[in-house]
Amino acid sequence: MASLFDLSEGNFIVKGVPLFRDVPQNISFSPFSSICKPSEPNVPPSLLQRVFSLSHKGGFFGFSNEIPSDRLMNSLGSFTGKNFLSVFRFKTWWSSQWVGNSGSDLQMETQWLLIEIPKIKSYVVIIPIIEKSFRSALHPGSDGHVMICAESGSTKVKALNFNAIAYVHLSENPYNLMKEAYSAIRVHLNTFKLLEEKVLPNIVDKFGWCTWDAFYLTVDPSGIYHGLDDFSKAGIEPRFVIIDDGWQSISLDGCDPKENAKNLILGGEQMGGRLNRLNEGDKFKKYESGLLLNPNSPPFNAKRIKDLISKGNQHKLLRKQRDEAVLSKSSDLAEIDSNIKKLKEEIDVLFGVEECNNVPKSECRTLNGMKALTRDLRIKFKGLDDVYVWHALVGAWGGVRPETTHLKSKIVPCKLSPGLDGTMLDLAVVKIVEGSIGLVHPDQATDFYDSMHSNLAHSGITGVKVDVIHSLEYVCEEYGGRVDLAKAYYEGLTKSIVKNFNGNGIMASMQQCNDFFFLGTKQVAMGRAGDDFWVKGPEGDPTGEYWLQGLHMIHCSYNSLWMGQIIQPDWDMFQSNHVCGKFHAGSRAICGGPIYLSDHVGFHDFDLIKKLVFPDGTIPKCVQFPFPTRDCLFKNPLFDHTTVLKIWNFNKNGGVIGAFNCQGAGWDTKLHKFRGFPECYKTMTGSVHVTDIEWDQNKEATDFGKAEEYVVYSNQGEKLCLMTPKSDPIKFIIQPSTFEIYNFVPITKLGGNIKFASIGLTNMFNSGGTILNMEYTERCAKIRVKGGGNFLAYSSESPKKFELNGSKVTFEWLSDGKLFINLSWIEEAGGVSDLIIFF
């Protein structure tokens, strides 16, 4: 087959069209089949066959240098006047979308670059990858040049030649492009697995609760119990809980290594802490079986937690004022110190009150600690399937304290790659660099994880949220560089997950760099697609609590294009009573993954939650995860004044598009941070069409895309209309931080001329997700629905009879085709109703 690529005379040409010009002479291009052979071990034969059938569409860039180095920067050539979409690291751990039309428009630490070539109606993606002990990323160059940086992370690991340091792939479809490209890289590297090869964790289609924003570091057994109890009393059963940071046994340098750090409140305070044992901290260790099941159990004061968090924020502000006073030699320093001392005393009093209340009242309990807690939670909350706990990849934020465990741990100073110079200032990075990392020797990585995880599994924990993943790259100088150190740690983690958590009881966080995806995902099947959900905006910006939420949706939507090839994108928690809680809820409804909250105890919007979650803690989940629509790929839905983010997905009855007004924020290329763009935070107009859905991207949905006509139902506007592929688009107006969800359901003709389509329960944001199954005959529609509420279908004629669970029932039919019936949640049937509609 003729080659689609040509590198000659300083031009890199794709199907006759120059992609890059001014390509240096030291750049090489090799077809995929010349580098990778079809005999790779540990690759499913079907995947191998698929990749090699498309091998003519891809190849590798390499380059050579005259002097060996641990960090090499080289141009791949230049381009201008071509639209591109990319994803870049804006923090060590987080990545986001960026668009432009020149190599110089790229941001530092770009993970991939997708370029549109209208002349040949195609797209090309360039993906920096791993070769030997080096990982790579793309960077901006001058005069339109695209720079590739290959680095080992250790001055002791040098190279001068690369044969396959970046992968190039061509396709006429941008969604096929990403799937094909990452499949090819998977076969080539053979160090990770695709999502299609893995089993998803149990929590993927469930509702849950995470303790982080509810408590931060003040989390304790009583808070967890009462948090879950809130949902249960409201008629919603959480199916999983994530006990986030704050449960571990950590100590701070300069303190007794055997003592737990006490009275920590907010993130940042714990980032210098190191594990001083591999099981739970004292406040969990002291928990005794049955304490919270007892009618006389200690009361829980939700206001106290709110007060602690408020005082924690005050303390954080005072510490900042103190740092500024020291630098400026201000005379206010003494007063600030006095205020800090007074505030710390108030905080200690609040913590002390709770400690008194939590003294066990019985001497007969024999089970204690995390095992006792998980047992009691499962006794009380019958639907609670999974209990996950948080830990950093290196144990705690600061690693493991030397000489406190059986492991060989060493305090290793942190060194950041120059590539991170273009990222945001990050409190986590500052704190980790300040304190260094107590690194367990990579030879003991397997022992390290198994020691933690086997204890947790024995205590009733079913999975882990592994966080702060990319701190390894800071401490790789003496350990063979970032690739070799990561391989050792990920191998140990993988073995432990297989042994202790069923091979899939893990979710990854702070992991959005190519090292992790190419080296650490043999077992990891789910991970965060966006930055954290932020309750409040940056200090001094009261609008931040609004614009940060749209930013979160952009992260998740565009990151799914690459991460979704390897892991299930997780859209993170949010708070139901947040000022933008409904905005978040709309996106989670069609995110295709778990839905979980981090509500404070006693502070919920249950009406909103019930639009997302069934009483049994399951969710009306989409078939897969969503992608941005094609007309959004090369746009900036954050601050271009014109673009509404649209994402498409599938349900079992058709397709769905969510339209979200995320305008009002964005990346500032000069300040190297995200900030508000208030001039963009405004009402937006846009349009939606059935052809915006990429029907061919799901095998089961392909036939839906061939329909002659569709019913379109807008969930928020509660409007129904008909559309054909040739119809004009539906125009909409969306206010800032709001959304609309459109269901596109193919019309089926019954009896030759009766048009029918089942839409689902309109009281749920993802109405189509409530449809479990559909079966049509000549004069009959059989539909299985889950949930309670208002069922809506479209019918061009009134039915003759309607049966619900085998009994004839009344229904309402309107002349515009709307067919209604109200369904009850029947507990004995798991909330499932069987409808038969006769014509």
Side-chain angles (χ1 to χ4, degrees), residues 445-676:
T446 299
D447 185 7
F448 172 39
Y449 290 119
D450 185 54
S451 295
M452 280 198 298
H453 294 166
S454 59
N455 176 70
L456 290 169
H458 179 70
S459 298
I461 301 299
T462 56
V464 285
K465 172 184 175 181
V466 181
D467 211 355
V468 207
I469 282 177
H470 286 291
S471 59
L472 275 185
E473 69 181 76
Y474 299 165
V475 289
C476 58
E477 170 68 25
E478 301 295 328
Y479 300 96
R482 60 193 291 170
V483 172
D484 287 5
L485 179 59
K487 282 182 176 178
Y489 264 71
Y490 293 144
E491 181 182 2
L493 179 63
T494 296
K495 288 179 178 178
S496 182
I497 296 302
V498 170
K499 177 187 173 187
N500 297 297
F501 299 127
N502 201 36
N504 65 348
I506 181 172
M507 56 194 304
S509 179
M510 298 176 75
Q511 86 296 351
Q512 295 170 8
C513 179
N514 55 8
D515 303 48
F516 168 77
F517 286 92
F518 294 149
L519 298 172
T521 53
K522 285 185 176 179
Q523 291 299 136
V524 179
M526 187 166 74
R528 289 275 299 282
D531 188 3
D532 291 336
F533 160 70
W534 291 97
V535 177
K536 295 183 178 180
E539 188 178 317
D541 184 355
T543 66
E545 64 180 335
Y546 291 91
W547 61 254
L548 272 169
Q549 316 315 324
L551 183 63
H552 182 95
M553 294 172 198
I554 297 299
H555 297 334
C556 294
S557 300
Y558 288 87
N559 275 328
S560 294
L561 286 164
W562 68 299
M563 295 180 190
Q565 311 306 326
I566 302 171
I567 60 172
Q568 167 74 38
D570 164 33
W571 281 52
D572 196 23
M573 65 193 107
F574 69 101
Q575 291 184 327
S576 66
N577 69 336
H578 187 270
V579 66
C580 290
K582 185 177 180 181
F583 192 39
H584 274 285
S587 70
R588 301 312 191 278
I590 60 171
C591 76
I595 296 175
Y596 56 112
L597 302 173
S598 195
D599 288 359
H600 291 288
V601 178
F603 296 87
H604 313 275
D605 183 342
F606 286 118
D607 289 338
L608 179 65
I609 297 169
K610 290 176 181 179
K611 294 179 184 296
L612 297 173
V613 185
F614 296 129
D616 66 355
T618 60
I619 56 177
K621 178 181 170 295
C622 284
V623 171
Q624 60 178 49
F625 46 88
F627 291 122
T629 56
R630 201 176 290 217
D631 58 351
C632 287
L633 288 180
F634 300 98
K635 301 292 181 62
N636 184 344
L638 283 171
F639 62 104
D640 69 358
H641 295 270
T642 60
T643 306
V644 173
L645 172 69
K646 294 187 298 181
I647 54 178
W648 57 266
N649 207 334
F650 302 111
N651 287 311
K652 291 182 179 179
N653 69 333
V656 59
I657 292 178
F660 299 86
N661 185 349
C662 300
Q663 292 277 334
W667 180 251
D668 190 311
T669 58
K670 294 180 179 178
L671 298 178
H672 289 174
K673 69 175 185 178
F674 284 106
R675 65 171 180 85

Side-chain angles (χ1 to χ4, degrees), residues 348-394:
D348 289 344
V349 168
L350 281 171
F351 273 111
V353 167
E354 186 66 10
E355 285 180 5
C356 291
N357 286 337
N358 268 337
V359 174
K361 303 297 190 294
S362 170
E363 301 298 327
C364 61
R365 300 183 181 100
T366 57
L367 190 65
N368 68 333
M370 187 68 81
K371 187 172 185 178
L373 175 62
T374 61
R375 173 185 171 276
D376 286 357
L377 293 178
R378 289 190 170 96
I379 289 173
K380 173 66 177 178
F381 308 108
K382 303 300 184 184
L384 189 64
D385 299 321
D386 287 281
V387 181
Y388 277 41
V389 296
W390 176 100
H391 71 75
L393 183 68
V394 293

Side-chain angles (χ1 to χ4, degrees), residues 64 113 251 269 396 455 469 528 594:
S64 58
L113 167 65
S251 66
E269 299 175 24
N455 176 70
I469 282 177
R528 289 275 299 282

Side-chain angles (χ1 to χ4, degrees), residues 759-785:
I759 293 162
L761 297 179
T762 59
N763 50 293
M764 306 298 284
F765 280 162
N766 184 25
S767 303
T770 65
I771 303 293
L772 301 183
N773 189 46
M774 303 173 297
E775 182 182 338
Y776 300 117
T777 61
E778 181 68 13
R779 291 280 178 177
C780 176
K782 297 180 180 180
I783 306 161
R784 176 161 284 188
V785 184

